[in-house]
Amino acid sequence: MSSMRAYTHPNPDDLTLERLLYALSDPLRLEIVRYLAGVAEASCGELDGGRPKSSMSHHFRVLRDSGLVQTRNVGTTHMNSLRSEELDGRFPGLLAKILEQR
């Protein structure tokens, strides 16, 4: 049985405002971040809203590459969490301001 590959995540010191804002510029990705802000973690299935897996894979990759989301494997399930502490350490108060906007 083969194991699932582990995801890589950027170091907090390497996070850039441009990548963060690009990731948040898509309404679906912003919706995912808002959802994750209210839970400890969620599976991809909880967050896909019935959308195609290929489309969601792209959105999660953008969120991971920007540093917003961390994904870990639990068996065959991908669990996602918001990297709140790392983001707040790099850009103090930014995530809170973004999340309070509606």
Side-chain angles (χ1 to χ4, degrees), residues 25-69:
S25 70
D26 182 273
L28 176 57
R29 291 192 295 262
L30 181 56
E31 178 183 323
I32 290 169
V33 167
R34 284 185 173 141
Y35 183 87
L36 288 174
V39 298
E41 61 183 355
S43 69
C44 291
E46 292 175 72
L47 299 166
D48 71 9
R51 293 173 185 90
K53 187 175 180 177
S54 60
S55 171
M56 294 308 295
S57 292
H58 165 73
H59 289 299
F60 283 113
R61 183 174 48 253
V62 171
L63 289 168
R64 270 192 308 276
D65 290 349
S66 72
L68 281 161
V69 170

Side-chain angles (χ1 to χ4, degrees), residues 1-2 7 9 13-14 20 24 32-33 40-42 51 53 55 58 64 66-67 72-73 76-77 86 89 93 97-98:
M1 177 163 40
S2 65
Y7 290 102
H9 302 88
D13 292 336
D14 296 331
L20 187 76
L24 293 170
I32 290 169
V33 167
E41 61 183 355
R51 293 173 185 90
K53 187 175 180 177
S55 171
H58 165 73
R64 270 192 308 276
S66 72
R72 67 184 184 96
N73 297 322
T76 59
T77 303
E86 293 96 334
K97 283 294 184 190
I98 289 167

Side-chain angles (χ1 to χ4, degrees), residues 10-22:
N11 183 303
D13 292 336
D14 296 331
L15 302 181
T16 66
L17 191 56
E18 293 84 1
R19 289 184 92 168
L20 187 76
L21 294 176
Y22 169 75

